[in-house]
Amino acid sequence: MKSMTLFKHVNNSLNPYRWAISVLAAVLISGLFAGVTLESRLDTDKKMAESLAPYLSTLVESSDRPELLRVLQSIGEATKSDVILAQDGMVFASSRSLEELDRAFVKPKTFFRFFDIDFGNNEIVTTTNIKNSSQSMGDSKVYIISPLLPSMKSSLGIFLGVFVASILISLFSARQMRKAIKKALRPMDQLHAEIEGMITDNHLDSEPIQIRELEEIRNTVRSTKTALDNAKDQLAESKAKKLSSDAYKRLIHDLHNPVSALRQMASLAHDETQDLETQNEAANSISRLADQILSQVTSAKKNLEQEPIALRDLNLVDCIREGVRQVQTLENTKSISVSFQDEEITVPHDPLLLKRAIINLLENGIEAANSLVRVSVLKNDNNTIIKVCDDGAGMDESKVPVYLQGRGQSGKANRQAFGLSSTNHIVRSHGGKLIYRKSDLGGSSFEIRLGGI
Amino acid sequence: MFSGGRLLLLAIVIGFLIQSPSYAQVTSPAYVKAIYSLPLSLDPIKMNDTASLAVGNLIYDGLLKFSPSLKIEGALAESWSTSKDGKTLTFRLKKNIFFHNGDPIKASDVEFSLKRALSAESTVRKFYDSIKQIRLLDESTLVIELNFPFPPFLSVLAGATAKVLPKNKISDSKFFSSPIGSGAFRFSGLDSKKKEINLVAFEKYHAGVPKLSQIILKETTETEAIELASKGEIHDLANWPLTESDSIFKLGQRISSPVASTWIIGLNTLKAPFDKLATRQLFKINVPVDEFRRSFYPDSIKAYGYVPNGLTGSQIKVELKVDGVQPPKEKIAIAIPRELARGQEMKEMIEKTMTSKGWKVEVNLMSWDQLMDGYSKKSHQAFLVAMNMDYPDADFLLKNFESDNPDNFSGLKNSNIDLLLKKSRATQDRKQRETFYKEALRLTEESAVTVNLFHPRANYWVSKCVQNFKPNILSDVYIDYTKVNVSPDCSSNKVVQR
């Protein structure tokens, strides 16, 4: 899933509601304004007719049609509408046409009623009752028939105006809301920076976070980090002890055979039952065995000095690149090819020690190779494998354990070969294994396996 | 070799020849309006019939006029005001108003014309008898003082008899043979043979030149008029209250509106047996009013009283009860205008129904001028007429029953009615006047001098080519012909080729 900032997440989550509410509010407000305007406009017409009702009633009772026609004409002109007065269903006076006088009043078809106002296809009809005081006469009604579109024009204008204004206000409000969200999330950014600083040990000038919950989280993270560091130190200490113990055990174990051989040779050298040649050979061996023991002791001493201090989740690729770079700085006659499965392979390790181990393998590879050393890193579910291969002559596989124990002799230089022993020790101290194979390039292939193994 | 000037002249001549056919087309055609009778008089103060009033309203203008919905508007008057007591009215005339002969119209012409309406020769004197004095303030301002605050007076001045004539021409004895007015149309001639009056548009008319360049008023009967209209020889049948189901409407436009009119059978109290109240009342009860209305004018409005619907007093309903009265033995003659399309059917229906009720009724179809002659001389026992209103107020109709009114067709003399009318004219209070009117109308109904047949709904037929024809709810007399026009691209109208 693609990750996003909290601000964007909050903004995106609010967006549908914000727009829906804005549009809905705009429609409702503008509808309300338009409705009130229309109602007010038509109510004014109705009020005018109502206020004239007593006079109209007098004219109806007097049957004064000429005067009524003049009045209705005047109302019609003022309201820009047709005004019809009907008595007992017959048109008594009309501002519209003289032809409909004394004929049955046909009310326009209406399909919608809003308060006392009827809406037709092309007109709006407001009806006002006029009570006649004369009992012999039926009540009269004044119909004001206004053309729909011109009557709605001002209301539609107000509707659109208010709608646009509401939308603009909503847009402004949305912009302000975005700013407010950003501002509200600043403590989160502060918390994030604080935690980041704790991880990288890059402590910033810490300021209290205004949000209590976030401040508590920061404190919790800080105390957890301190506890974790302490635990790590304790773990490293106990691990170091264990490694030392293991190293001693291995040394004792490794020394057992040479010391036994030394005693046997010493016994043979002094056994008069043996022939002289055997005694001389045994005496000579004593010196060689003593050197070997001394060599193992020296190697063990070196390894014990290189105990890992702390394992951290860091990018292994960086560690290997640095190792390769250091080796290439010193030796550039043979090429080192590098291939990584991924640019970011995070594995818990001590970068200084592991780099030392890799440099050892690379130096051995360069020393043994004809022209090419290849470094590759693979990662599967459980393990991370660092493979260093060369195209040299390869090693006698039976002697590999000897080298790993630090008893081997360098093939090219006349010196003890401590490199493999040291590398083996570092890999083991990381909980891993160092495995030798024949390389597909023809020479040696050393694999450092880290992780579940 | 042609010079440049000659070439230009040739081009103009060719252009004119090319243009001339269309030029002929845009000339507006004569508008033919059928009327049931030529005017009995062209003198406004002697007009008492619709035909005369309709023609007069085209030729003459007054101070005021009615809009289609009876709003009072200025005609020659630009503005007017009424004093608080309602007894002084001041009028200011428009500028640049002229008679048809080109003379400017002055306030003195108005003064003279109104005073003429008050003279002994005036048959419409009753409309103006509220005038106490007329004063001139200057050439374009005059003041009319009334004896009493007669509220309908502005309506009287907007009516078809309150017309302004040229003071210095009226002394000519032949003035009304070729009258000079200030209306939208100028009198051009009377063709007695064709029974046509020819009017032409007045170019200097104060409200703008009318769209119709010529109007021909043609006398004919309703039947003939419909026939001519169906042949496309007439534009306008507005003089007849046709029914909406009439087939002629399939060929033209039907423009409908109520009009302030009542069709009545007038009963003459000066003639036996209608000199007896009980006989009149029984006759009124027995006339098949509803049947008549449904048979001949089904879209008309039922008449509950004498005053048309929509005017004060129209709500008066009087139930007459006559016990133990029998129809008289003498024959009763009812005069009906022959010009009515179904006059014969009306005669048969009325005679048959009344006979079945024990009356000896004879319906006589006669020409309009004959009928009006008898009406004026009060020689008819009963007569069928349409009482049109000159101004929209019950006062106009109630005047017919004033004892001293020479135009009182029924000869009724009722001092209570006289008193109520006098009171109503003296009050400005609308409700008070309404009360007086209602009481006067109740007394009139009880007097049974009119059988109120119906209030007509005018269904005006006009040709499909006619545009901007607007009815007037007072009467067809007041239709504004200044805005009427004939569609220039209307090819279906034969009268265009006249």
Side-chain angles (χ1 to χ4, degrees):
Chain A
M1 198 174 78
K2 201 176 174 184
S3 66
M4 62 174 78
T5 62
L6 181 61
F7 165 73
K8 205 167 180 184
H9 173 68
V10 172
N11 196 45
N12 288 353
S13 304
L14 286 177
N15 253 349
Y17 300 101
R18 196 165 56 206
W19 280 108
I21 289 166
S22 299
V23 172
L24 188 68
V27 169
L28 286 175
I29 293 167
S30 15
L32 187 70
F33 267 79
V36 167
T37 312
L38 182 64
E39 212 277 325
S40 160
R41 144 92 169 79
L42 298 171
D43 196 48
T44 308
D45 294 354
K46 197 175 160 66
K47 287 263 164 42
M48 184 197 282
E50 279 173 353
S51 62
L52 287 169
Y55 179 51
L56 296 179
S57 170
T58 306
L59 295 177
V60 171
E61 284 171 27
S62 307
S63 201
D64 193 343
R65 176 140 62 193
E67 186 65 16
L68 263 172
L69 287 171
R70 282 192 281 272
V71 173
L72 297 195
Q73 198 89 39
S74 177
I75 298 175
E77 282 165 12
T79 59
K80 293 187 175 63
S81 310
D82 292 327
V83 189
I84 290 133
L85 189 145
Q87 192 188 6
D88 299 329
M90 303 291 284
V91 176
F92 189 74
S94 165
S95 71
R96 188 164 55 183
S97 160
L98 298 176
E99 293 194 36
E100 63 184 328
L101 300 181
D102 293 328
R103 293 200 185 276
F105 173 65
V106 183
K107 194 176 171 183
K109 271 191 179 175
T110 55
F111 58 87
F112 173 65
R113 193 173 173 82
F114 181 69
F115 292 103
D116 283 343
I117 302 157
D118 293 307
F119 288 79
N121 283 329
N122 300 309
E123 56 276 301
I124 303 169
V125 184
T126 50
T127 309
T128 308
N129 288 317
I130 294 179
K131 289 205 168 181
N132 295 316
S133 55
S134 169
Q135 290 183 343
S136 61
M137 298 177 78
D139 283 349
S140 309
K141 285 181 177 177
V142 171
Y143 298 94
I144 300 177
I145 303 172
S146 312
L148 186 63
L149 278 181
S151 303
M152 299 285 282
K153 207 184 276 177
S154 58
S155 300
L156 281 173
I158 285 174
F159 179 87
L160 287 174
V162 174
F163 183 79
V164 169
S166 304
I167 289 291
L168 287 175
I169 290 168
S170 297
L171 285 173
F172 178 73
S173 158
R175 200 175 149 186
Q176 293 306 105
M177 205 184 283
R178 279 168 65 91
K179 282 184 183 173
I181 293 169
K182 260 187 186 169
K183 197 175 173 185
L185 290 177
R186 265 182 213 159
M188 291 292 288
D189 294 338
Q190 192 185 351
L191 176 67
H192 177 253
E194 290 273 347
I195 293 172
E196 190 94 322
M198 284 179 207
I199 291 167
T200 58
D201 288 330
N202 184 17
H203 292 287
L204 303 167
D205 290 338
S206 182
E207 283 181 14
I209 300 174
Q210 287 177 337
I211 309 299
R212 199 194 314 154
E213 287 82 354
L214 296 182
E215 179 66 17
E216 282 169 4
I217 290 171
R218 184 175 73 162
N219 290 336
T220 306
V221 170
R222 187 180 282 161
S223 57
T224 305
K225 165 93 173 30
T226 308
L228 206 60
D229 286 347
N230 292 339
K232 204 183 267 180
D233 289 347
Q234 285 171 359
L235 186 67
E237 200 175 324
S238 67
K239 201 170 179 183
K241 277 181 185 172
K242 187 175 180 300
L243 285 171
S244 298
S245 163
D246 289 348
Y248 281 121
K249 279 179 186 169
R250 273 200 306 276
L251 180 62
I252 291 162
H253 176 265
D254 292 347
L255 285 173
H256 183 264
N257 285 346
V259 170
S260 297
L262 185 66
R263 194 181 72 175
Q264 195 177 358
M265 289 303 135
S267 165
L268 283 173
H270 294 93
D271 189 354
E272 289 176 353
T273 62
Q274 299 292 325
D275 58 30
L276 190 62
E277 190 181 359
T278 305
Q279 284 182 340
N280 286 337
E281 195 175 337
N284 289 336
S285 293
I286 288 168
S287 161
R288 186 175 49 83
L289 285 168
D291 285 343
Q292 190 179 344
I293 289 164
L294 195 61
S295 171
Q296 273 185 266
V297 169
T298 307
S299 172
K301 187 189 170 200
K302 272 192 173 181
N303 287 342
L304 282 169
E305 285 170 355
Q306 293 178 343
E307 286 304 313
I309 299 166
L311 299 181
R312 280 178 289 165
D313 276 327
L314 296 170
N315 189 2
L316 192 61
V317 172
D318 293 341
C319 174
I320 295 167
R321 279 193 201 284
E322 182 59 22
V324 170
R325 190 189 63 76
Q326 282 187 19
V327 172
Q328 274 181 327
T329 309
L330 297 171
E331 173 57 61
N332 56 7
T333 55
K334 296 172 186 171
S335 71
I336 303 171
S337 78
V338 183
S339 74
F340 303 112
Q341 187 186 18
D342 203 343
E343 280 298 307
E344 178 94 27
I345 300 171
T346 306
V347 175
H349 67 278
D350 183 325
L352 285 174
L353 283 182
L354 197 61
K355 186 174 76 179
R356 182 68 253 160
I358 289 162
I359 287 172
N360 285 345
L361 291 178
L362 283 170
E363 282 174 347
N364 290 344
I366 289 280
E367 200 173 292
N370 290 323
S371 61
L372 177 64
V373 176
R374 186 178 67 203
V375 183
S376 59
V377 182
L378 298 168
K379 185 172 168 74
N380 58 31
D381 290 344
N382 297 318
N383 300 323
T384 304
I385 302 163
I386 306 162
K387 203 186 272 186
V388 181
C389 308
D390 64 68
D391 60 350
M395 284 178 74
D396 180 357
E397 284 190 46
S398 62
K399 289 186 177 174
V400 171
V402 173
Y403 283 102
L404 293 180
Q405 286 174 13
R407 289 182 285 134
Q409 193 75 23
S410 173
K412 293 196 175 171
N414 186 20
R415 57 177 170 80
Q416 286 297 121
F418 293 137
L420 276 177
S421 167
S422 170
T423 300
N424 187 33
H425 178 79
I426 291 168
V427 172
R428 280 174 176 271
S429 65
H430 277 79
K433 268 188 178 177
L434 183 65
I435 299 166
Y436 172 79
R437 296 182 199 280
K438 273 302 243 186
S439 165
D440 59 334
L441 296 174
S444 304
S445 169
F446 283 95
E447 286 182 15
I448 298 173
R449 289 192 171 225
L450 301 172
I453 313 298
Chain B
M1 199 174 167
F2 292 108
S3 70
R6 283 183 181 173
L7 270 175
L8 180 67
L9 181 65
L10 183 68
I12 291 169
V13 170
I14 292 168
F16 180 78
L17 289 173
I18 292 166
Q19 290 292 318
S20 55
S22 59
Y23 177 78
Q25 277 179 354
V26 295
T27 306
S28 58
Y31 183 90
V32 184
K33 176 181 167 72
I35 48 176
Y36 65 86
S37 162
L38 285 175
L40 299 180
S41 171
L42 284 174
D43 186 349
I45 63 164
K46 290 177 182 170
M47 290 178 178
N48 202 19
D49 63 299
T50 308
S52 303
L53 292 165
V55 178
N57 213 44
L58 294 168
I59 298 173
Y60 305 112
D61 247 5
L63 284 172
L64 306 173
K65 64 175 182 176
F66 291 116
S67 77
S69 58
L70 303 188
K71 189 178 171 187
I72 291 173
E73 296 172 341
L76 296 176
E78 181 162 296
S79 61
W80 61 95
S81 61
T82 308
S83 65
K84 272 188 178 177
D85 64 1
K87 292 203 283 189
T88 307
L89 295 91
T90 308
F91 292 88
R92 176 169 282 278
L93 299 183
K94 287 178 180 170
K95 287 171 186 166
N96 298 321
I97 46 175
F98 300 97
F99 287 112
H100 294 156
N101 63 353
D103 292 346
I105 300 171
K106 295 174 185 169
S108 54
D109 294 311
V110 182
E111 179 200 20
F112 170 78
S113 302
L114 290 176
K115 282 184 175 170
R116 216 175 145 260
L118 275 167
S119 67
E121 61 176 327
S122 170
T123 58
V124 292
R125 188 175 184 281
K126 58 189 175 181
F127 300 162
Y128 302 92
D129 58 6
S130 58
I131 296 176
K132 182 182 174 187
Q133 190 188 351
I134 302 171
R135 286 187 287 120
L136 298 180
L137 294 186
D138 55 49
E139 275 200 343
S140 59
T141 313
L142 81 155
V143 176
I144 302 173
E145 288 179 20
L146 303 178
N147 289 311
F148 43 84
F150 181 42
F153 190 68
L154 287 176
S155 293
V156 171
L157 292 181
T161 60
K163 301 300 184 187
V164 177
L165 306 176
K167 181 183 174 184
N168 57 355
K169 298 283 179 193
I170 203 85
S171 54
D172 183 350
S173 58
K174 290 184 178 175
F175 179 83
F176 290 109
S177 302
S178 182
I180 296 167
S182 58
F185 295 91
R186 188 160 51 80
F187 183 86
S188 175
L190 167 67
D191 188 332
S192 306
K193 211 173 179 184
K194 283 187 178 175
K195 293 188 176 177
E196 287 180 0
I197 288 180
N198 201 343
L199 305 178
V200 291
F202 178 36
E203 306 79 17
K204 286 186 171 180
Y205 187 55
H206 57 83
V209 184
K211 290 178 180 171
L212 296 172
S213 60
Q214 186 185 3
I215 294 183
I216 293 168
L217 301 160
K218 182 180 178 59
E219 183 192 293
T220 178
T221 63
E222 185 178 338
T223 312
E224 192 190 1
I226 290 171
E227 196 184 325
L228 289 171
S230 65
K231 289 178 185 171
E233 292 180 14
I234 280 178
H235 286 103
D236 183 329
L237 297 179
N239 220 208
W240 283 276
L242 303 174
T243 56
E244 62 184 347
S245 58
D246 205 311
S247 60
I248 188 66
F249 286 116
K250 290 175 187 168
L251 300 172
Q253 301 176 63
R254 183 174 69 82
I255 296 164
S256 169
S257 87
V259 284
S261 173
T262 310
W263 281 48
I264 61 162
I265 296 176
L267 306 183
N268 189 351
T269 61
L270 303 175
K271 292 277 181 182
F274 291 136
D275 53 343
K276 294 185 180 70
L277 175 65
T279 305
R280 293 199 304 269
Q281 287 180 332
L282 185 65
F283 185 83
K284 184 168 179 159
I285 292 167
N286 285 167
V287 171
V289 170
D290 275 345
E291 194 185 341
F292 184 86
R293 186 176 70 85
R294 280 198 296 269
S295 301
F296 300 108
Y297 299 99
D299 58 338
S300 62
I301 300 148
K302 188 175 179 177
Y304 292 101
Y306 186 53
V307 176
N309 202 28
L311 289 175
T312 301
S314 60
Q315 323 88 313
I316 297 298
K317 293 172 191 171
V318 177
E319 291 272 332
L320 293 177
K321 283 183 183 172
V322 183
D323 294 324
V325 180
Q326 294 300 317
K329 288 179 182 172
E330 10 343 13
K331 193 170 76 178
I332 293 169
I334 305 175
I336 288 186
R338 183 179 293 142
E339 288 81 358
L340 286 177
R342 297 169 68 189
Q344 187 60 35
E345 286 178 64
M346 290 175 191
K347 170 183 163 70
E348 286 164 12
M349 193 269 261
I350 292 171
E351 284 178 353
K352 188 179 169 189
T353 311
M354 294 306 281
T355 304
S356 70
K357 291 178 180 174
W359 293 83
K360 289 180 183 169
V361 168
E362 183 185 17
V363 175
N364 297 324
L365 298 173
M366 61 181 69
S367 67
W368 178 248
D369 47 358
Q370 251 187 311
L371 191 144
M372 283 311 288
D373 187 51
Y375 174 91
S376 305
K377 292 174 181 166
K378 299 184 179 58
S379 58
H380 299 308
Q381 275 178 303
F383 46 89
L384 188 152
V385 287
M387 299 304 291
N388 292 339
M389 297 179 78
D390 229 15
Y391 55 86
D393 195 286
D395 180 84
F396 178 88
L397 292 174
L398 283 166
K399 268 186 203 295
N400 283 325
F401 308 110
E402 269 188 299
S403 306
D404 60 348
N405 182 2
D407 202 30
N408 182 344
F409 61 83
S410 65
L412 182 71
K413 293 196 186 301
N414 187 320
S415 57
N416 287 335
I417 294 176
D418 296 344
L419 185 64
L420 287 165
L421 287 178
K422 205 171 178 183
K423 281 182 179 177
S424 75
R425 286 170 195 152
T427 179
Q428 287 178 287
D429 186 291
R430 170 189 291 275
K431 292 299 281 182
Q432 190 70 46
R433 271 172 49 223
E434 189 185 327
T435 312
F436 294 140
Y437 283 163
K438 282 181 177 175
E439 183 57 19
L441 283 163
R442 192 183 60 75
L443 292 173
T444 309
E445 288 300 306
E446 283 175 357
S447 301
V449 286
T450 59
V451 178
N452 307 310
L453 296 173
F454 59 87
H455 304 302
R457 182 174 187 88
N459 291 290
Y460 299 118
W461 181 93
V462 287
S463 154
K464 283 178 181 170
C465 300
V466 175
Q467 296 173 331
N468 300 317
F469 183 99
K470 295 260 164 58
N472 186 295
I473 61 167
L474 187 56
S475 149
D476 63 292
V477 167
Y478 297 97
I479 292 168
D480 184 359
Y481 279 94
T482 60
K483 287 167 187 153
V484 173
N485 67 304
V486 176
S487 170
D489 54 351
C490 189
S491 59
S492 65
N493 197 345
K494 286 186 181 177
V495 287
V496 177
Q497 308 302 325
R498 189 182 172 88

